Amino acid sequence: MTATQKFEKETKELIDSLKSVCANYGLGNDGNEFKIITQVFLYKFLNDKFVHEVKQLDENIAKAEKPVEVLKSYSADDYEMLTMQMSEATASIKPDHLISALFEKQNEPKFADTFDNTLLDIAKENSDIFSVITQDGEKITLFENISKYVTDKRDDFCRAIINKLIGFSFEHIFHEKFDFYATIFEYLIKDYNTNSGGKYAEYFTPHAVAKIMARCMVHGDVSNVTCYDPSAGSGTLLMNLAHQIGEDKCTIYSQDISQKSSNLLRLNLILNNLVHSIPNIVKGNTLTDPYHKKNGKLQKFDYIVSNPPFKLDYSDFRDDLDTKENNDRFFAGIPNVPAKAKDKMAIYPLFIQHIMYSLNTGGKAAVVVPTGFITAQSGIDKAIRERLVEEKMLRGVVSMPSNIFAATGTNVSIVFIDDADKGDVVLIDASNLGETIKDGKNQRTVLTQDEEDKIINTFNNKEVVEDFSVVVSYDDIKAKNYSFSAGQYFEVKIEYTDITHDEFKAKMNGFKSNLNKLFTESSDLEAEIKKQLEGLGYE
């Protein structure tokens, strides 16, 4: 086992142990368990990062058996000077707020209050950098008093948490890169990233889909760019995009109506060294109240990724969108609310239009859509496709295998929009790739590394591969009624075989014999059914 695999195993064991504590105090599968697990995990991560960094700055702390005691000996001014030397990504934590300090205090009266106040103080101290904001400008800080979710034995609960944290250290894994933290993040939230009845379903985009989107969008050296997701969820797409560009070469912007998703995205940013982007994470309704603006107008972005909700009840807000101010943004129209099934309102066309409107000149976007979008013969879907073709903004489309998302049976495709590439369009049918595995109660299709690479390389090189990909002109697409489906452009292959007259006659006699046999069986079956009906009194 490599050192990285060992750290990964130990980190997952820490997460499991925290879940075990929650279960022991009646919070297993409780709606608030994820708040405790994610906040405690984040507290531990920030604590260890702070300790790791002060050790780099002060040799005495690095050598000390109890670093907290050395830190306590600092004067207020010296301590402030020490914290000012730290990176922006490191939270400022007072000596009494370190986990080792709490461990020493665990037998004091009202320890739960001490624990909660520690988290609240850290959140307040670091509010400017680490807070997510709402569309009204309210700050959602790092932590809350988590012991309130325990009905009794609050002190014992907080002691159990601290005792799990003290025996583990993140200090050895801060040098790890994106793939390590992506794996840990997925493990951390795997039980909590589901639709909890909110307006937007918090789908978790599979890592393979996110990677394909990022690698098909980003080519060559890119720097100082903006990346945006208007329905960010927990941020899988943004993390893959930022990693492909370089975390220090881009700034992340997002909006999502779910506070739960916004908190998970913040955690993802912290793990992936993107703390500088946290102030751009907004909890709010992107469609009715898009937050990010510049000079009074909606901000434009260099890269946009999105896996928007496909259908939901948007009846409370639908008419609010139908205004003169939104004519340009929703150029193709606003879907109607179905009379008998409000939750079946197609909302993804609104996100696609918003993304097209929010794209910088020369910008690139990738959007997950239901595959029905790419062939719809009329309505808003077709109007959007027409605009993409007329303005030559379509880079390509990849139709994914069914069940690539375990939580939905809807077949999906990825539409790539590119305002700079005005050349031919590559269409890929990857529906036959992958292998089916069991994922809980659902079946899920998983792509191999070679299959991922096949999609990415074929797309980036605009290759024609028999029964897999085509490269077509915009005129070709117009001739096919603006269809984005690769299958409609595949050549129909007719195989001819030379046979003799006798062989042909033998085949025809065989077909005739089979048909006669089927007709006889059908007649016998009809007679039997008639006989049984007569026996039941039916004429």
mmCIF file of all heavy atoms in Angstrom, residues 65-103:
data_model
loop_
_atom_site.group_PDB
_atom_site.id
_atom_site.type_symbol
_atom_site.label_atom_id
_atom_site.label_comp_id
_atom_site.label_asym_id
_atom_site.label_seq_id
_atom_site.Cartn_x
_atom_site.Cartn_y
_atom_site.Cartn_z
ATOM 1 N N GLU A 65 6.505 19.453 21.610
ATOM 2 C CA GLU A 65 5.624 18.309 21.788
ATOM 3 C C GLU A 65 4.172 18.761 21.834
ATOM 4 O O GLU A 65 3.269 18.070 21.370
ATOM 5 C CB GLU A 65 5.981 17.568 23.086
ATOM 6 C CG GLU A 65 5.198 16.288 23.284
ATOM 7 C CD GLU A 65 5.649 15.535 24.528
ATOM 8 O OE1 GLU A 65 6.791 15.739 24.987
ATOM 9 O OE2 GLU A 65 4.846 14.740 25.037
ATOM 10 N N LYS A 66 3.952 19.961 22.420
ATOM 11 C CA LYS A 66 2.616 20.548 22.488
ATOM 12 C C LYS A 66 2.657 21.947 21.867
ATOM 13 O O LYS A 66 2.866 22.944 22.566
ATOM 14 C CB LYS A 66 2.118 20.623 23.932
ATOM 15 C CG LYS A 66 1.864 19.259 24.560
ATOM 16 C CD LYS A 66 1.255 19.402 25.946
ATOM 17 C CE LYS A 66 0.913 18.049 26.556
ATOM 18 N NZ LYS A 66 0.279 18.194 27.896
ATOM 19 N N PRO A 67 2.471 22.049 20.544
ATOM 20 C CA PRO A 67 2.544 23.341 19.860
ATOM 21 C C PRO A 67 1.627 24.393 20.450
ATOM 22 O O PRO A 67 1.944 25.582 20.437
ATOM 23 C CB PRO A 67 2.126 22.994 18.422
ATOM 24 C CG PRO A 67 2.467 21.551 18.267
ATOM 25 C CD PRO A 67 2.208 20.944 19.611
ATOM 26 N N VAL A 68 0.483 23.966 20.988
ATOM 27 C CA VAL A 68 -0.475 24.930 21.527
ATOM 28 C C VAL A 68 0.109 25.736 22.676
ATOM 29 O O VAL A 68 -0.190 26.922 22.850
ATOM 30 C CB VAL A 68 -1.783 24.219 21.957
ATOM 31 C CG1 VAL A 68 -1.545 23.311 23.149
ATOM 32 C CG2 VAL A 68 -2.882 25.235 22.256
ATOM 33 N N GLU A 69 0.996 25.099 23.474
ATOM 34 C CA GLU A 69 1.597 25.812 24.605
ATOM 35 C C GLU A 69 2.541 26.899 24.113
ATOM 36 O O GLU A 69 2.623 27.988 24.692
ATOM 37 C CB GLU A 69 2.352 24.821 25.500
ATOM 38 C CG GLU A 69 1.465 23.751 26.125
ATOM 39 C CD GLU A 69 0.352 24.352 26.973
ATOM 40 O OE1 GLU A 69 0.576 25.418 27.600
ATOM 41 O OE2 GLU A 69 -0.750 23.768 26.996
ATOM 42 N N VAL A 70 3.265 26.629 23.035
ATOM 43 C CA VAL A 70 4.160 27.651 22.466
ATOM 44 C C VAL A 70 3.340 28.796 21.916
ATOM 45 O O VAL A 70 3.669 29.979 22.105
ATOM 46 C CB VAL A 70 5.047 27.044 21.355
ATOM 47 C CG1 VAL A 70 5.958 28.114 20.754
ATOM 48 C CG2 VAL A 70 5.861 25.878 21.896
ATOM 49 N N LEU A 71 2.249 28.479 21.240
ATOM 50 C CA LEU A 71 1.393 29.518 20.672
ATOM 51 C C LEU A 71 0.786 30.399 21.761
ATOM 52 O O LEU A 71 0.629 31.608 21.583
ATOM 53 C CB LEU A 71 0.273 28.880 19.833
ATOM 54 C CG LEU A 71 0.701 28.291 18.487
ATOM 55 C CD1 LEU A 71 -0.431 27.473 17.876
ATOM 56 C CD2 LEU A 71 1.112 29.403 17.527
ATOM 57 N N LYS A 72 0.455 29.804 22.894
ATOM 58 C CA LYS A 72 -0.112 30.587 24.000
ATOM 59 C C LYS A 72 0.884 31.578 24.578
ATOM 60 O O LYS A 72 0.503 32.593 25.168
ATOM 61 C CB LYS A 72 -0.604 29.644 25.111
ATOM 62 C CG LYS A 72 -1.909 28.930 24.797
ATOM 63 C CD LYS A 72 -2.325 28.047 25.964
ATOM 64 C CE LYS A 72 -3.646 27.356 25.703
ATOM 65 N NZ LYS A 72 -4.047 26.467 26.830
ATOM 66 N N SER A 73 2.175 31.299 24.380
ATOM 67 C CA SER A 73 3.201 32.194 24.931
ATOM 68 C C SER A 73 3.390 33.446 24.071
ATOM 69 O O SER A 73 4.039 34.399 24.494
ATOM 70 C CB SER A 73 4.539 31.447 25.048
ATOM 71 O OG SER A 73 5.071 31.165 23.752
ATOM 72 N N TYR A 74 2.826 33.454 22.873
ATOM 73 C CA TYR A 74 2.921 34.625 22.002
ATOM 74 C C TYR A 74 2.115 35.786 22.586
ATOM 75 O O TYR A 74 1.030 35.590 23.148
ATOM 76 C CB TYR A 74 2.340 34.304 20.618
ATOM 77 C CG TYR A 74 3.299 33.698 19.633
ATOM 78 C CD1 TYR A 74 3.907 32.475 19.887
ATOM 79 C CD2 TYR A 74 3.582 34.332 18.430
ATOM 80 C CE1 TYR A 74 4.773 31.908 18.965
ATOM 81 C CE2 TYR A 74 4.440 33.779 17.494
ATOM 82 C CZ TYR A 74 5.035 32.559 17.773
ATOM 83 O OH TYR A 74 5.894 32.000 16.865
ATOM 84 N N SER A 75 2.633 37.002 22.438
ATOM 85 C CA SER A 75 1.836 38.183 22.762
ATOM 86 C C SER A 75 0.780 38.353 21.685
ATOM 87 O O SER A 75 0.883 37.763 20.598
ATOM 88 C CB SER A 75 2.722 39.429 22.817
ATOM 89 O OG SER A 75 3.220 39.735 21.519
ATOM 90 N N ALA A 76 -0.230 39.156 21.958
ATOM 91 C CA ALA A 76 -1.311 39.365 20.993
ATOM 92 C C ALA A 76 -0.764 39.916 19.675
ATOM 93 O O ALA A 76 -1.166 39.487 18.594
ATOM 94 C CB ALA A 76 -2.360 40.309 21.573
ATOM 95 N N ASP A 77 0.176 40.862 19.783
ATOM 96 C CA ASP A 77 0.752 41.461 18.572
ATOM 97 C C ASP A 77 1.573 40.455 17.775
ATOM 98 O O ASP A 77 1.487 40.405 16.540
ATOM 99 C CB ASP A 77 1.631 42.669 18.942
ATOM 100 C CG ASP A 77 0.801 43.848 19.423
ATOM 101 O OD1 ASP A 77 -0.423 43.851 19.165
ATOM 102 O OD2 ASP A 77 1.375 44.755 20.058
ATOM 103 N N ASP A 78 2.370 39.647 18.496
ATOM 104 C CA ASP A 78 3.188 38.646 17.807
ATOM 105 C C ASP A 78 2.320 37.577 17.143
ATOM 106 O O ASP A 78 2.634 37.095 16.046
ATOM 107 C CB ASP A 78 4.162 37.977 18.787
ATOM 108 C CG ASP A 78 5.292 38.908 19.208
ATOM 109 O OD1 ASP A 78 5.499 39.922 18.516
ATOM 110 O OD2 ASP A 78 5.949 38.626 20.228
ATOM 111 N N TYR A 79 1.242 37.223 17.831
ATOM 112 C CA TYR A 79 0.345 36.213 17.275
ATOM 113 C C TYR A 79 -0.327 36.742 16.006
ATOM 114 O O TYR A 79 -0.457 36.026 15.004
ATOM 115 C CB TYR A 79 -0.713 35.811 18.300
ATOM 116 C CG TYR A 79 -1.437 34.530 17.946
ATOM 117 C CD1 TYR A 79 -0.863 33.295 18.241
ATOM 118 C CD2 TYR A 79 -2.679 34.536 17.303
ATOM 119 C CE1 TYR A 79 -1.499 32.108 17.913
ATOM 120 C CE2 TYR A 79 -3.325 33.364 16.970
ATOM 121 C CZ TYR A 79 -2.723 32.154 17.278
ATOM 122 O OH TYR A 79 -3.356 30.977 16.938
ATOM 123 N N GLU A 80 -0.736 37.998 16.040
ATOM 124 C CA GLU A 80 -1.351 38.604 14.859
ATOM 125 C C GLU A 80 -0.342 38.660 13.706
ATOM 126 O O GLU A 80 -0.699 38.403 12.551
ATOM 127 C CB GLU A 80 -1.854 40.004 15.184
ATOM 128 C CG GLU A 80 -2.581 40.664 14.022
ATOM 129 C CD GLU A 80 -3.120 42.044 14.369
ATOM 130 O OE1 GLU A 80 -2.946 42.496 15.512
ATOM 131 O OE2 GLU A 80 -3.720 42.673 13.480
ATOM 132 N N MET A 81 0.906 38.995 14.040
ATOM 133 C CA MET A 81 1.950 39.047 13.009
ATOM 134 C C MET A 81 2.171 37.664 12.396
ATOM 135 O O MET A 81 2.364 37.525 11.182
ATOM 136 C CB MET A 81 3.253 39.568 13.621
ATOM 137 C CG MET A 81 4.376 39.771 12.606
ATOM 138 S SD MET A 81 3.984 41.022 11.356
ATOM 139 C CE MET A 81 3.967 42.498 12.390
ATOM 140 N N LEU A 82 2.110 36.627 13.228
ATOM 141 C CA LEU A 82 2.275 35.256 12.752
ATOM 142 C C LEU A 82 1.169 34.886 11.769
ATOM 143 O O LEU A 82 1.436 34.342 10.695
ATOM 144 C CB LEU A 82 2.271 34.293 13.944
ATOM 145 C CG LEU A 82 2.449 32.797 13.610
ATOM 146 C CD1 LEU A 82 3.873 32.517 13.173
ATOM 147 C CD2 LEU A 82 2.075 31.944 14.824
ATOM 148 N N THR A 83 -0.075 35.183 12.136
ATOM 149 C CA THR A 83 -1.203 34.818 11.275
ATOM 150 C C THR A 83 -1.197 35.615 9.974
ATOM 151 O O THR A 83 -1.667 35.129 8.932
ATOM 152 C CB THR A 83 -2.544 35.033 11.995
ATOM 153 O OG1 THR A 83 -2.649 36.407 12.427
ATOM 154 C CG2 THR A 83 -2.649 34.115 13.208
ATOM 155 N N MET A 84 -0.650 36.825 10.010
ATOM 156 C CA MET A 84 -0.598 37.644 8.796
ATOM 157 C C MET A 84 0.378 37.078 7.763
ATOM 158 O O MET A 84 0.285 37.378 6.573
ATOM 159 C CB MET A 84 -0.209 39.082 9.139
ATOM 160 C CG MET A 84 -1.316 39.866 9.840
ATOM 161 S SD MET A 84 -0.783 41.526 10.348
ATOM 162 C CE MET A 84 -0.480 42.293 8.749
ATOM 163 N N GLN A 85 1.317 36.253 8.218
ATOM 164 C CA GLN A 85 2.275 35.645 7.297
ATOM 165 C C GLN A 85 1.721 34.406 6.596
ATOM 166 O O GLN A 85 2.340 33.873 5.682
ATOM 167 C CB GLN A 85 3.545 35.253 8.061
ATOM 168 C CG GLN A 85 4.305 36.420 8.675
ATOM 169 C CD GLN A 85 5.499 35.922 9.475
ATOM 170 O OE1 GLN A 85 6.412 35.302 8.939
ATOM 171 N NE2 GLN A 85 5.492 36.180 10.775
ATOM 172 N N MET A 86 0.563 33.973 7.050
ATOM 173 C CA MET A 86 -0.013 32.751 6.486
ATOM 174 C C MET A 86 -0.707 33.018 5.161
ATOM 175 O O MET A 86 -1.058 34.155 4.844
ATOM 176 C CB MET A 86 -1.017 32.151 7.474
ATOM 177 C CG MET A 86 -0.380 31.664 8.755
ATOM 178 S SD MET A 86 -1.614 30.926 9.826
ATOM 179 C CE MET A 86 -0.553 30.374 11.157
ATOM 180 N N SER A 87 -0.919 31.963 4.390
ATOM 181 C CA SER A 87 -1.616 32.089 3.110
ATOM 182 C C SER A 87 -3.077 32.414 3.358
ATOM 183 O O SER A 87 -3.634 32.123 4.420
ATOM 184 C CB SER A 87 -1.503 30.792 2.307
ATOM 185 O OG SER A 87 -2.264 29.766 2.922
ATOM 186 N N GLU A 88 -3.703 32.992 2.347
ATOM 187 C CA GLU A 88 -5.116 33.346 2.439
ATOM 188 C C GLU A 88 -5.991 32.118 2.652
ATOM 189 O O GLU A 88 -7.065 32.194 3.246
ATOM 190 C CB GLU A 88 -5.543 34.060 1.151
ATOM 191 C CG GLU A 88 -6.961 34.577 1.170
ATOM 192 C CD GLU A 88 -7.394 35.122 -0.185
ATOM 193 O OE1 GLU A 88 -7.278 34.366 -1.172
ATOM 194 O OE2 GLU A 88 -7.819 36.278 -0.269
ATOM 195 N N ALA A 89 -5.521 30.971 2.179
ATOM 196 C CA ALA A 89 -6.310 29.740 2.264
ATOM 197 C C ALA A 89 -6.305 29.123 3.660
ATOM 198 O O ALA A 89 -6.994 28.149 3.909
ATOM 199 C CB ALA A 89 -5.789 28.718 1.257
ATOM 200 N N THR A 90 -5.509 29.699 4.571
ATOM 201 C CA THR A 90 -5.404 29.158 5.925
ATOM 202 C C THR A 90 -6.245 29.987 6.888
ATOM 203 O O THR A 90 -6.076 31.205 6.983
ATOM 204 C CB THR A 90 -3.943 29.163 6.408
ATOM 205 O OG1 THR A 90 -3.150 28.427 5.478
ATOM 206 C CG2 THR A 90 -3.822 28.526 7.780
ATOM 207 N N ALA A 91 -7.160 29.337 7.590
ATOM 208 C CA ALA A 91 -8.006 30.038 8.548
ATOM 209 C C ALA A 91 -7.184 30.494 9.750
ATOM 210 O O ALA A 91 -6.233 29.820 10.159
ATOM 211 C CB ALA A 91 -9.139 29.123 9.012
ATOM 212 N N SER A 92 -7.542 31.636 10.308
ATOM 213 C CA SER A 92 -6.889 32.127 11.519
ATOM 214 C C SER A 92 -7.568 31.489 12.733
ATOM 215 O O SER A 92 -8.790 31.594 12.897
ATOM 216 C CB SER A 92 -7.017 33.656 11.590
ATOM 217 O OG SER A 92 -6.473 34.148 12.793
ATOM 218 N N ILE A 93 -6.792 30.783 13.554
ATOM 219 C CA ILE A 93 -7.341 30.072 14.710
ATOM 220 C C ILE A 93 -6.543 30.442 15.956
ATOM 221 O O ILE A 93 -5.309 30.387 15.953
ATOM 222 C CB ILE A 93 -7.297 28.539 14.491
ATOM 223 C CG1 ILE A 93 -8.076 28.169 13.216
ATOM 224 C CG2 ILE A 93 -7.877 27.810 15.692
ATOM 225 C CD1 ILE A 93 -8.050 26.685 12.889
ATOM 226 N N LYS A 94 -7.227 30.807 17.024
ATOM 227 C CA LYS A 94 -6.570 31.159 18.285
ATOM 228 C C LYS A 94 -6.125 29.883 19.009
ATOM 229 O O LYS A 94 -6.721 28.820 18.808
ATOM 230 C CB LYS A 94 -7.513 31.975 19.163
ATOM 231 C CG LYS A 94 -7.871 33.330 18.561
ATOM 232 C CD LYS A 94 -8.886 34.071 19.426
ATOM 233 C CE LYS A 94 -9.240 35.423 18.799
ATOM 234 N NZ LYS A 94 -10.273 36.136 19.576
ATOM 235 N N PRO A 95 -5.102 29.994 19.851
ATOM 236 C CA PRO A 95 -4.593 28.787 20.549
ATOM 237 C C PRO A 95 -5.675 28.006 21.282
ATOM 238 O O PRO A 95 -5.701 26.773 21.237
ATOM 239 C CB PRO A 95 -3.557 29.358 21.515
ATOM 240 C CG PRO A 95 -3.079 30.611 20.857
ATOM 241 C CD PRO A 95 -4.283 31.177 20.153
ATOM 242 N N ASP A 96 -6.595 28.713 21.969
ATOM 243 C CA ASP A 96 -7.645 28.037 22.733
ATOM 244 C C ASP A 96 -8.679 27.346 21.849
ATOM 245 O O ASP A 96 -9.507 26.579 22.339
ATOM 246 C CB ASP A 96 -8.359 29.030 23.658
ATOM 247 C CG ASP A 96 -7.516 29.383 24.873
ATOM 248 O OD1 ASP A 96 -6.576 28.624 25.178
ATOM 249 O OD2 ASP A 96 -7.793 30.416 25.515
ATOM 250 N N HIS A 97 -8.644 27.656 20.549
ATOM 251 C CA HIS A 97 -9.616 27.070 19.627
ATOM 252 C C HIS A 97 -9.068 25.862 18.873
ATOM 253 O O HIS A 97 -9.789 25.258 18.076
ATOM 254 C CB HIS A 97 -10.084 28.127 18.624
ATOM 255 C CG HIS A 97 -10.845 29.247 19.255
ATOM 256 N ND1 HIS A 97 -10.939 30.502 18.685
ATOM 257 C CD2 HIS A 97 -11.541 29.304 20.426
ATOM 258 C CE1 HIS A 97 -11.672 31.292 19.462
ATOM 259 N NE2 HIS A 97 -12.049 30.584 20.519
ATOM 260 N N LEU A 98 -7.816 25.521 19.116
ATOM 261 C CA LEU A 98 -7.232 24.346 18.473
ATOM 262 C C LEU A 98 -7.807 23.063 19.080
ATOM 263 O O LEU A 98 -8.196 23.029 20.255
ATOM 264 C CB LEU A 98 -5.713 24.368 18.618
ATOM 265 C CG LEU A 98 -4.984 25.484 17.864
ATOM 266 C CD1 LEU A 98 -3.521 25.551 18.288
ATOM 267 C CD2 LEU A 98 -5.093 25.274 16.353
ATOM 268 N N ILE A 99 -7.835 22.020 18.286
ATOM 269 C CA ILE A 99 -8.396 20.752 18.753
ATOM 270 C C ILE A 99 -7.625 20.222 19.953
ATOM 271 O O ILE A 99 -8.222 19.686 20.909
ATOM 272 C CB ILE A 99 -8.397 19.723 17.602
ATOM 273 C CG1 ILE A 99 -9.456 20.119 16.570
ATOM 274 C CG2 ILE A 99 -8.640 18.301 18.108
ATOM 275 C CD1 ILE A 99 -9.448 19.302 15.303
ATOM 276 N N SER A 100 -6.319 20.397 19.947
ATOM 277 C CA SER A 100 -5.516 19.923 21.090
ATOM 278 C C SER A 100 -5.886 20.651 22.369
ATOM 279 O O SER A 100 -5.849 20.063 23.464
ATOM 280 C CB SER A 100 -4.022 20.090 20.793
ATOM 281 O OG SER A 100 -3.719 21.427 20.464
ATOM 282 N N ALA A 101 -6.264 21.938 22.263
ATOM 283 C CA ALA A 101 -6.682 22.699 23.446
ATOM 284 C C ALA A 101 -8.029 22.197 23.957
ATOM 285 O O ALA A 101 -8.242 22.058 25.169
ATOM 286 C CB ALA A 101 -6.756 24.183 23.116
ATOM 287 N N LEU A 102 -8.945 21.907 23.037
ATOM 288 C CA LEU A 102 -10.247 21.372 23.441
ATOM 289 C C LEU A 102 -10.105 19.988 24.067
ATOM 290 O O LEU A 102 -10.818 19.639 25.025
ATOM 291 C CB LEU A 102 -11.182 21.292 22.234
ATOM 292 C CG LEU A 102 -11.747 22.607 21.690
ATOM 293 C CD1 LEU A 102 -12.768 22.323 20.590
ATOM 294 C CD2 LEU A 102 -12.398 23.435 22.783
ATOM 295 N N PHE A 103 -9.184 19.210 23.545
ATOM 296 C CA PHE A 103 -8.942 17.871 24.093
ATOM 297 C C PHE A 103 -8.553 17.960 25.571
ATOM 298 O O PHE A 103 -8.998 17.138 26.387
ATOM 299 C CB PHE A 103 -7.833 17.185 23.289
ATOM 300 C CG PHE A 103 -7.502 15.802 23.766
ATOM 301 C CD1 PHE A 103 -8.341 14.735 23.474
ATOM 302 C CD2 PHE A 103 -6.344 15.565 24.506
ATOM 303 C CE1 PHE A 103 -8.031 13.447 23.912
ATOM 304 C CE2 PHE A 103 -6.033 14.289 24.946
ATOM 305 C CZ PHE A 103 -6.881 13.223 24.651
#
